Every structure is written in C-alpha cells, then in structure tokens.
Amino acid sequence: MRRRRFVIGASLSLTAPPAWAQDKPVRFSVTGAMEQGSLALGSAPPGSQVALDGRPLHVLPDGRFAFGFAPDQTAAALVTVRYPDGAGDSRSFTPTVRQYEIQRVNGLPQNTVTPPPEVKARIAREAEEIFLARVRDTGGSDFLSGFDWPAPGIESGVFGSQRIDNGVPVSPHYGVDMAAPVGTPIHAPADGTVSLSADHYLNGGFTLLDHGQGVSTSYLHQSKRLVKAGDAVRRGQLIGHIGQTGRATGPHLHWAMNWFQVKLDPSRSTRKPKPDPL
Ligand SMILES: [Zn+2]
C-alpha cells in the first residue's frame, strides 16, 4: 500500500502535529473482497470529492462511493480524495490475483457457439444495447445495502473460468451460473431500476437492473421476464423465471454484475450464504 499526503495544514504553530502524525491513517476507507473482479465500496467524509486513477467518481451526500476491479487487473487502483476542508489523501489498492478455472461445456446448440452469419448483426445490436445500458451513470445508492442471491440453485458455473464451448475457446465466463428447473422464480437481489429487458439471441430472456453509480446486475436465459425497462424494483421482488433460452445447455440463471463495463463476480458482493438448491 502506498500512501501520500499532498496537502498538509499551512499553519505551523506550537500545536502543529509532530512528524510522526503524518503517518496517521488516511481519512477514507475502501472495503470489499479487494480481489480481481470485485466491487469495492468506499467511504469518505461527507462533501468529499473522489477520483479513481484521476477520473472523478460519483459520491453520495454521505461520502460513500463505489468502483470495481477488472477480472484481469494487476495494477493498483489509485483513489484520491479531496476533503471539504481542502486537505487530501490518496492511496492505492492492489487487487488480489485470482486463479480462474478452465471449463469445457459440450452440448450447446451449435448455432449459439458459431452463430450463422445472418444473426451476426442482431448479436452486435444486442451487445450494443447492453453496452449502452451499462454506460449510464445514475447517482443512485441502491448498491449500498449489499446483494441477496437472486435464486436458489446448484452453482454450475463460476466467475472468470476460461470457457471452451463445444471445443471452441470463447470469452471467459463472466457470471455465476445457478442451475434450477425452468420456472424457478428469480428475485431482485437489491432495489434497482430496470435498464433493459428483452429477448436476445445469445442471452435469451435478458434483464438488466441498475443499482446506481454504474453498479448493475443482469439475468440471462430466462423463460419469462416479468419487468420492463423503466420499472423500479424492490429487493426480493419477483422479476422473472429461470429458463434455458439463448446459449444454454440446461435450465439455469446466469447472474452477472458490472461496474460500468467492468465485469464483476456477484458472488463476492452477496450479504448472506447461497440458498440451498430446490
Ligand atoms: Zn453462465
């Protein structure tokens, strides 16, 4: 951990702090799993300005903020805070490196592993829709109270694994798979707003929830979607049913989390143990 102070009180008097006091802890904190692909939550004095690697972050009135570590990030994230009194601190946070698995998945519909040319434009359009939904920078605070598991199920796929689908290496698996029968209810893991709800070629029945400050979660392969773009949802609300639509070998929920375009492991932001499979 590096620590720098860039503003030190200008008034030197008999009450000036002794030299050792300059080593005192910074006046902000960052918590979370602090590993690759995890959401980090920060807290600074109310009224502070915060930057991540020089880019300003949204800060709630109470001083709290969020950012994410990329799945392959090895560089430190530099958090700089300017306090309301004009002083400031900065500190870098290096994510713990994770070892990701290799997962071979066979039996996928071949037209979802190597999609026919005529659906390429549709896939690109749907990917762009999702990209744009994740660009949105709403100042909400729904991410603050943590996330519940959205459905029961057997965890059949973990975050970050290198995927080899029907023998073809594809992009890593950025989500948690929960296998459960078709029709198993999916509940919102936290309050949020529906940014996108649509039937996609690869994702199947797809819903994206915005939880504020770039934090979003998404739900893939649903047999039924029960909310639409613009809806406000409450923690625990039924939002859809588990299915086997899109690129899937069996009924399961693919649950993903993002900080803007940074892919995160939602299992690292849950506040309770996973429910037992049905
Ligand atoms: Zn998945």
Side-chain angles (χ1 to χ4, degrees):
M1 296 286 175
R2 246 166 349 122
R3 184 185 296 156
R4 291 194 304 232
R5 287 185 58 81
F6 42 65
V7 176
I8 294 179
S11 61
L12 278 174
S13 69
L14 289 176
T15 58
W20 55 261
Q22 292 176 20
D23 285 329
K24 75 176 164 51
V26 295
R27 288 152 58 189
F28 71 90
S29 63
V30 175
T31 59
M34 308 305 277
E35 61 179 18
Q36 291 178 328
S38 72
L39 179 67
L41 299 177
S43 181
S48 297
Q49 294 171 291
V50 180
L52 174 71
D53 297 324
R55 278 181 24 219
L57 293 181
H58 259 303
V59 185
L60 293 167
D62 68 1
R64 287 191 283 181
F65 58 94
F67 66 93
F69 294 108
D72 58 352
Q73 181 172 341
T74 51
L78 181 69
V79 177
T80 304
V81 179
R82 170 77 55 187
Y83 303 121
D85 63 10
D89 281 320
S90 77
R91 188 170 171 188
S92 59
F93 298 89
T94 305
T96 305
V97 171
R98 289 180 63 170
Q99 296 299 323
Y100 296 116
E101 295 177 11
I102 294 179
Q103 189 181 23
R104 288 168 205 280
V105 180
N106 293 308
L108 284 162
Q110 193 58 37
N111 65 352
T112 64
V113 178
T114 45
E118 62 270 23
V119 295
K120 289 236 163 90
R122 177 180 169 191
I123 291 171
R125 191 175 65 243
E126 291 169 351
E128 189 183 354
E129 260 179 29
I130 296 175
F131 180 91
L132 292 174
R134 287 176 174 153
V135 162
R136 258 173 241 157
D137 188 1
T138 57
S141 58
D142 291 334
F143 63 93
L144 279 177
S145 41
F147 294 82
D148 296 328
W149 287 87
I154 296 165
E155 204 170 331
S156 56
V158 295
F159 179 87
S161 43
Q162 178 59 58
R163 286 285 287 268
I164 302 171
D165 287 357
N166 292 2
V168 178
V170 297
S171 47
H173 183 250
Y174 290 128
V176 173
D177 284 341
M178 299 168 78
V182 171
T184 302
I186 302 168
H187 299 278
D191 292 354
T193 306
V194 181
S195 299
L196 184 56
S197 184
D199 286 317
H200 283 178
Y201 185 81
L202 293 176
N203 305 320
F206 177 88
T207 302
L208 192 144
L209 303 181
D210 174 18
H211 304 286
Q213 297 199 14
V215 180
S216 68
T217 54
S218 43
Y219 305 81
L220 283 71
H221 313 305
Q222 296 173 87
S223 60
K224 198 167 190 185
R225 294 176 288 109
L226 298 172
V227 288
K228 59 183 192 311
D231 287 354
V233 299
R234 307 297 307 208
R235 177 189 298 274
Q237 181 179 331
L238 182 66
I239 59 167
H241 291 157
I242 285 181
Q244 189 186 339
T245 53
R247 186 163 69 187
T249 52
H252 74 284
L253 169 66
H254 174 103
W255 184 31
M257 177 178 277
N258 272 63
W259 179 67
F260 298 106
Q261 308 303 330
V262 177
K263 295 169 189 313
L264 306 178
D265 184 347
S267 74
R268 298 303 200 265
S269 291
T270 50
R271 53 182 203 169
K272 281 187 241 161
K274 190 160 66 69
D276 289 332
L278 289 178

